[in-house]
Amino acid sequence: MATKTINLNTEDIEDDCLCSEITTTCSIPLEQKDVEETQSLALNRPNGYLKGESRIERAWSHWKKLGEPKLIVAPMVDNSELPFRLLCRKYGAEAAYTPMLHSRLFNEDEKYRAMEFSTCKEDRPLFVQFCANNPDTLLEAARKVEPYCDYVDINFGCPQRIAKRGNYGAFLMDNLSLVKSLVEKLANNLNVPVSCKIRIFPNLQDTLSYAKMLEDAGCSLLAVHGRTRDEKDGRKFRANWEAIKAVRNVVRIPVLANGNIRHIDDVHSCLEETGADGVLSADPLLENPALFAGYRTAEWGLGVTGMKEDDKLDQAELLIEYLRFCERYPVPWRIIRSHVHKLLGEWFRIQPSVREDFNKQYKLTFEFLYDLVNRLKELGVRIPLYVKDTQQAVSAN
């Protein structure tokens, strides 16, 4: 049995420290058959020298082998780390992306690799996402993770200013020749398929040409965020599902839809309207990691016909489950701090003094966080999640 060990160092300070005071390892056992399968792929790559129909067939073969997952955790910087992915998987997520990893830093900085990437055998199917603007640098980084994921994903969708400064993400839409070379480099040299996550152009035909170019370059799966590079605010700008549908109709590889997935009914509507092979959800999962299991926050459940309060699961319980995953798989405290704010934001509005105490806490501990949840409960704070009233649905029938 071969074992991949990812060392999680604890040399950083305070919020950049891992949430464990001892050095921890995350060991990923690979069965001998998995090693042999990985080696055999070198002779029969998903892409590589395969052209035309053979490449498309292999893209679909791989997707079907993974079970054609439809409910997928989108990549989120500092938020789609291993413990959160595992929590989402517990509540219905069928696949997940890592946070975006910077390919150059991933190659050069062992500490960065240890802090930002971890996985385990339950964490599959898995997309490992990189940002890059140099094909050789990207390939070097991708080779480090390819034995432990199902796709190496290239981020062509990040619209933030840091991506503009670094010349990666959605800002590579201005340099399609570089985009093509990045995809070709991985497609011709990796033993796992290459996926790409993109945003749409303002002009639909430009988007369709872009998607076809990526497919021709060797992309085996395409995730389409239905907003343009300038449409950063998901609450202000609705994702364009029609554009995603148009992409789905012109490419022959699997397509995932990203945007407007706030609850499970959105999942069904999106799949029906776009014809996509799966959906990604990002920010709504941060407030409700049980979204794919049919749970809704009060924003989307309160007052909705056929919904009722759930008397067991709420955001505080989800936070406790998340913290337990963090105790098992340590991550930087800054990431945990972010998840606490996302999960308990509405609870903190009811008891702002608890939020103030949390914000003042310079050095977090699990004991403090568990006590914080108990304190909110003792103060009578509880905002329920909502689920479908099955009794009502049965009586209606």
Side-chain angles (χ1 to χ4, degrees):
M1 177 182 291
T3 300
K4 162 68 175 177
T5 300
I6 302 173
N7 293 311
L8 300 177
N9 297 316
T10 56
E11 297 174 357
D12 286 5
I13 60 171
E14 304 311 337
D15 265 12
D16 282 333
C17 281
L18 292 166
C19 57
S20 172
E21 295 183 359
I22 59 173
T23 301
T24 310
T25 62
C26 176
S27 297
I28 309 167
L30 291 178
E31 301 295 339
Q32 185 60 38
K33 62 182 178 64
D34 294 329
V35 176
E36 292 170 355
E37 185 175 300
T38 300
Q39 292 170 342
S40 71
L41 281 171
L43 302 175
N44 202 11
R45 292 193 179 97
N47 296 321
Y49 59 84
L50 294 173
K51 304 297 182 183
E53 292 299 327
S54 297
R55 175 177 285 175
I56 301 302
E57 289 169 4
R58 192 162 290 278
W60 278 104
S61 176
H62 184 76
W63 183 242
K64 291 178 185 296
K65 182 179 178 181
L66 297 178
E68 300 182 82
K70 286 183 166 49
L71 310 176
I72 302 168
V73 181
M76 295 174 280
V77 173
D78 278 354
N79 281 301
S80 60
E81 82 294 348
L82 177 59
F84 187 73
R85 296 195 302 268
L86 293 176
L87 178 63
C88 291
R89 290 179 190 275
K90 179 178 178 179
Y91 288 98
E94 298 169 345
Y97 286 72
T98 67
M100 180 188 73
L101 303 171
H102 193 292
S103 57
R104 179 182 58 79
L105 292 177
F106 199 81
N107 291 331
E108 296 176 356
D109 191 337
E110 182 180 355
K111 193 176 194 177
Y112 176 85
R113 290 198 300 274
M115 295 285 285
E116 301 302 326
F117 175 68
S118 61
T119 188
C120 63
K121 64 181 181 180
E122 296 85 9
D123 189 31
R124 305 293 284 269
L126 180 66
F127 295 72
V128 176
Q129 187 184 77
F130 288 102
C131 68
N133 53 31
N134 180 287
D136 292 328
T137 300
L138 176 60
L139 177 60
E140 182 183 351
R143 280 177 166 160
K144 289 179 169 63
V145 302
E146 66 173 326
Y148 316 107
C149 66
D150 300 285
Y151 290 91
V152 172
D153 185 79
I154 311 175
N155 183 327
F156 294 127
C158 181
Q160 303 303 322
R161 281 178 293 179
I162 190 171
K164 185 175 184 178
R165 291 197 300 269
N167 188 33
Y168 58 79
F171 295 92
L172 294 183
M173 295 167 75
D174 297 330
N175 188 348
L176 295 185
S177 61
L178 176 55
V179 167
K180 182 179 180 181
S181 67
L182 289 167
V183 177
E184 288 180 334
K185 188 66 153 182
L186 293 194
N188 290 326
N189 291 281
L190 289 185
N191 296 325
V192 295
V194 181
S195 61
C196 301
K197 188 170 185 296
I198 66 171
R199 284 187 171 239
I200 60 174
F201 283 91
N203 179 279
L204 178 59
Q205 190 54 53
D206 289 340
T207 301
L208 301 183
S209 298
Y210 185 30
K212 285 296 294 178
M213 181 204 74
L214 291 168
E215 179 182 71
D216 292 342
C219 176
S220 290
L221 180 144
L222 186 61
V224 184
H225 189 143
R227 296 183 179 92
T228 68
R229 187 171 68 191
D230 295 327
E231 294 173 337
K232 300 181 183 69
D233 188 342
R235 290 186 177 268
K236 183 177 179 181
F237 299 102
R238 293 283 292 168
N240 186 342
W241 285 357
E242 284 296 320
I244 299 175
K245 179 180 180 180
V247 170
R248 183 69 195 86
N249 289 337
V250 299
V251 300
R252 297 181 294 164
I253 55 177
V255 171
L256 306 179
N258 187 192
N260 303 348
I261 305 299
R262 304 155 301 182
H263 47 73
I264 197 66
D265 286 350
D266 285 339
V267 171
H268 301 316
S269 297
C270 183
L271 291 172
E272 182 178 353
E273 293 183 28
T274 65
D277 302 287
V279 300
L280 277 63
S281 185
D283 288 351
L285 279 175
L286 297 178
E287 295 182 14
N288 177 20
L291 183 157
F292 288 139
Y295 292 88
R296 299 186 186 212
T297 59
E299 180 179 6
W300 305 111
L302 184 62
V304 176
T305 302
M307 304 299 295
K308 68 170 186 177
E309 294 184 8
D310 188 81
D311 60 357
K312 296 180 180 178
L313 189 66
D314 57 30
Q315 288 159 307
E317 291 303 316
L318 287 169
L319 175 59
I320 289 172
E321 292 188 54
Y322 169 72
L323 293 175
R324 287 171 179 160
F325 278 123
C326 290
E327 289 185 280
R328 184 177 178 186
Y329 299 109
V331 294
W333 283 109
R334 60 181 162 78
I335 294 177
I336 297 176
R337 188 181 292 270
S338 173
H339 281 297
V340 173
H341 275 295
K342 290 289 187 180
L343 282 168
L344 298 184
E346 294 298 324
W347 300 53
F348 285 157
R349 288 185 181 91
I350 297 173
Q351 286 292 341
S353 62
V354 180
R355 178 183 59 207
E356 290 170 8
D357 289 345
F358 172 61
N359 290 337
K360 290 177 183 176
Q361 193 72 14
Y362 182 59
K363 185 174 182 180
L364 293 178
T365 65
F366 286 112
E367 181 181 12
F368 172 83
L369 292 173
Y370 288 128
D371 286 345
L372 180 145
V373 173
N374 289 333
R375 181 179 168 191
L376 284 169
K377 290 180 178 179
E378 290 168 359
L379 289 168
V381 180
R382 184 179 189 272
I383 303 175
L385 294 174
Y386 290 78
V387 292
K388 283 193 175 179
D389 188 342
T390 53
Q391 288 186 339
Q392 182 175 330
V394 170
S395 62
N397 291 330

